[in-house]
Amino acid sequence: MQSEIVILKSEIGTSRNLKDKQNLNRAVVAEALDIDQLVEDCKRNNRRAQEQLYRQFYNYALTIALRYSRDEADAADIMSHAFVKIFKSMHTFDKTKGALQTWIKRIVMNEGLDHLKARERFSKDMELETVEEPQISNTVLERMGADEIMKLIHQLPPATHAVFVLYAVEGYNHREIAEKLKISEGTSKWHLSEARKTLQQQLSRTT
Amino acid sequence: MNQKATYELTITERLEQLTAPDMVDAIWARIEAQLDMDLPTDEGPTNPPAPKSGPGKWLNRGFIIAAVAIVLIYLFNNRKQTITSNDQPTIPAPVTTPNNNDNPVRNNSPGTTNTQIPQNNTSAPTNASTVLPVDSNAIAPVTGPVLLQPDTAAVKTNAEPVFTPPVVTPQKNNLPDSTKKGRGVKGITDSDYKIVPKKDSSKN
C-alpha cells in the first residue's frame, strides 16, 4: 500500500515537473518572441520599444559598465553612449549570428574600454615576457563584498584596470587583450602584473 | 580564453552580484534626448529631415544655386544701372532743326509727328523730358547744339532698372562738333537743283 502511494506521489511529482518544464519552455519561447518583436520595433525606430528594451537590459548592461568605470557617473556615461549606439546600429543586428545579450555586452564593453582609453594612453613601453604568479589571497576576497572589490579595481590606473578586467573577469587571454586594446602582448602582461601587485598591497592593508 | 585562477573566479562571482544603482530614468532621459537629435521618430518634428542622398539632395542644391544666381544677377544689374545714372554729366547733345524732312530720325521734340520712329519701340516713353535711346552712329548730320540734361526725375520714377532706356554718354559721342560743319555742299543752292527736261536721245 505504501509503495503504491510512493509510486503515485512520484508520478504526480513527475507530472508536475513536466508541467513546470512545459510552462518554463513556453515562457522562454514567449520571451524570445517578445524580444524578437522588440528588436523589430527598435529597428523601425519605435521609441517605446527602445525604452522597453533598455529597461529589460538595464541591470545586465550597467553591471558591465561599472567594471570599466571609476564611479557611477562614469558608468551612466558609458550606458547612455552604448545604448545610443545600440539603437543606431540595431538594423545591423542579426540574431542568426548571435544572441542579443552578447551583442549588447560587446557594445557596452567596447564603450567602457573607449572610456578608459580616453583617460590614458594605453601603448606604453613597459613589457613583460612572463607574468608573475598571483599572490592574492582568495580567503580575504571571499570575505569582501562586491562593492568593496569594485572599489579596489577602480583604484587601478586606467590601462591596468582595463587589462585586469579583461583578463580576470571577462576571461580573455593576452593575445586577445593586445588586439582589443591595440597594445603588445608584453604590455598586456605588464599591466596584469601591476594590477596583481596593487591589489595584493590593497588587500594586505585591509587585513 | 584563459584559465582563471581561484581569486579571479571569486572576483567574477562577486562582480556578478553587484547591485546596479537606480539611475534607470536619468540614463534613459539622456539616451532619449540623444536619440531625438540623431534619430527623430515619426511622432517627433513634423518637418521631414533633409534628404542626405539621392535626387532630392540635387534638387535642393539646384534650387539654392538658382536662387543665388537670380539674386546676384539682380544685384549686378541694379549696380550697373546706378553707376550709369550717376555718371551722366550735362552734355551738349546734337539735335535736329525743326525741319522734319531734313533729318527725321533725330527730331524727338514734343508735338512733332515723326513717322520714321521705329514702330516696335513701344517701351520708349512719349514724355518729352525722357531721353530716348540714341544711336551714336546716327548723330553725325546735325545743325545746331541743344543742351540736354539728364532728367533725374525720370530716373527716380523709373522703378524698373531693366526697362530704363540707355542714355547718351560723352564717351560714346566721338563725332566732330557738328555746329561748325555746314550742311550739304558749299556753293550749291536750291536753284541749282532745277530740273530741266532733256530730249530723249534714243528717239533720234
Side-chain angles (χ1 to χ4, degrees):
Chain A
M1 186 72 183
Q2 273 187 345
S3 62
E4 282 177 4
I5 291 167
V6 169
I7 290 163
L8 272 172
K9 274 185 179 177
S10 68
E11 278 177 358
I12 291 164
T14 49
S15 67
R16 271 183 188 167
N17 284 342
L18 273 172
K19 278 182 182 175
D20 286 348
K21 277 183 182 175
Q22 282 171 352
N23 285 339
L24 189 69
N25 285 340
R26 277 177 201 155
V28 168
V29 169
E31 196 180 345
L33 283 174
D34 281 352
I35 286 191
D36 284 350
Q37 187 56 48
L38 268 183
V39 168
E40 287 307 311
D41 289 345
C42 287
K43 282 180 182 175
R44 284 194 289 270
N45 199 24
N46 182 326
R47 198 65 87 239
R48 280 185 185 175
Q50 287 168 339
E51 186 177 356
Q52 214 177 325
L53 190 89
Y54 158 77
R55 287 181 188 277
Q56 201 155 331
F57 285 95
Y58 171 78
N59 281 325
Y60 174 73
L62 189 61
T63 312
I64 297 163
L66 280 166
R67 293 175 194 167
Y68 297 93
S69 58
R70 277 177 300 183
D71 47 32
E72 289 179 3
D74 243 12
D77 272 353
I78 294 168
M79 282 284 282
S80 60
H81 287 124
F83 269 93
V84 168
K85 275 186 188 171
I86 286 167
F87 294 132
K88 276 184 174 178
S89 53
M90 187 57 93
H91 61 280
T92 63
F93 170 69
D94 184 0
K95 68 176 180 182
T96 58
K97 288 180 182 173
L100 179 67
Q101 193 165 315
T102 317
W103 188 67
I104 288 174
K105 181 184 177 176
R106 198 168 64 237
I107 293 176
V108 176
M109 204 174 77
N110 286 338
E111 190 59 42
L113 288 173
D114 286 346
H115 219 75
L116 283 173
K117 277 181 196 170
R119 283 168 54 199
E120 190 190 72
R121 194 170 64 89
F122 273 27
S123 53
K124 283 188 174 176
D125 295 331
M126 294 86 160
E127 297 225 356
L128 268 184
E129 287 302 315
T130 52
V131 188
E132 290 173 33
E133 286 299 311
Q135 300 290 323
I136 296 169
S137 164
N138 194 45
T139 47
V140 179
L141 278 173
E142 277 179 341
R143 275 183 275 154
M144 293 174 82
D147 289 338
E148 286 173 298
I149 292 173
M150 206 65 240
K151 274 180 191 170
L152 284 178
I153 295 170
H154 286 163
Q155 286 170 5
L156 296 170
T160 310
H161 178 167
V163 171
F164 181 76
V165 171
L166 287 173
Y167 188 91
V169 182
E170 310 289 358
Y172 288 104
N173 60 36
H174 286 294
R175 189 178 51 79
E176 291 166 328
I177 294 169
E179 277 176 21
K180 265 195 174 303
L181 302 181
K182 297 196 170 49
I183 56 173
S184 68
E185 281 187 50
T187 307
S188 175
K189 285 174 186 172
W190 182 85
H191 280 300
L192 182 65
S193 179
E194 283 295 301
R196 281 171 178 170
K197 277 182 201 168
T198 312
L199 287 175
Q200 197 181 9
Q201 286 169 3
Q202 296 286 336
L203 287 171
S204 61
R205 277 181 206 165
T206 52
T207 53
Chain B
M1 291 289 163
N2 65 60
Q3 292 264 324
K4 282 189 178 183
T6 327
Y7 85 97
E8 289 167 351
L9 288 169
T10 309
I11 289 176
T12 311
E13 229 174 80
R14 287 283 185 276
L15 291 185
E16 279 167 4
Q17 293 166 4
L18 201 69
T19 49
D22 188 19
M23 303 185 288
V24 63
D25 293 324
I27 296 172
W28 173 249
R30 285 166 66 177
I31 294 167
E32 197 176 21
Q34 191 63 41
L35 287 175
D36 284 343
M37 280 195 285
D38 299 344
L39 296 171
T41 56
D42 295 338
E43 302 151 8
T46 50
N47 294 331
K52 289 180 180 174
S53 61
K57 182 179 77 173
W58 294 108
L59 252 169
N60 278 355
R61 285 184 181 178
F63 183 76
I64 290 164
I65 290 166
V68 169
I70 288 167
V71 169
L72 284 175
I73 289 166
Y74 175 78
L75 288 173
F76 180 74
N77 283 342
N78 202 12
R79 184 184 164 83
K80 200 175 168 184
Q81 177 58 34
T82 313
I83 290 166
T84 313
S85 60
N86 287 341
D87 289 348
Q88 282 182 28
T90 303
I91 50 162
V95 294
T96 59
T97 55
N99 190 351
N100 293 337
N101 294 330
D102 290 342
N103 195 358
V105 176
R106 307 278 7 116
N107 192 355
N108 294 322
S109 58
T112 57
T113 54
N114 193 346
T115 53
Q116 301 221 1
I117 292 173
Q119 292 299 316
N120 58 356
N121 192 8
T122 52
S123 64
T126 54
N127 192 345
S129 62
T130 310
V131 181
L132 286 171
V134 176
D135 186 2
S136 60
N137 296 329
I139 298 173
V142 290
T143 53
V146 174
L147 197 66
L148 272 184
Q149 287 187 346
D151 194 347
T152 52
V155 173
K156 282 177 186 174
T157 53
N158 197 353
E160 292 295 323
V162 177
F163 300 111
T164 304
V167 294
V168 177
T169 56
Q171 289 81 10
K172 287 184 178 179
N173 193 2
N174 294 326
L175 293 168
D177 192 0
S178 59
T179 54
K180 292 177 181 176
K181 192 176 178 182
R183 191 159 56 95
V185 181
K186 285 180 180 177
I188 298 174
T189 58
D190 289 343
S191 59
D192 294 331
Y193 290 102
K194 189 177 179 183
I195 298 166
V196 179
K198 290 180 179 177
K199 285 183 180 178
D200 192 0
S201 59
S202 62
K203 286 181 181 177
N204 294 333

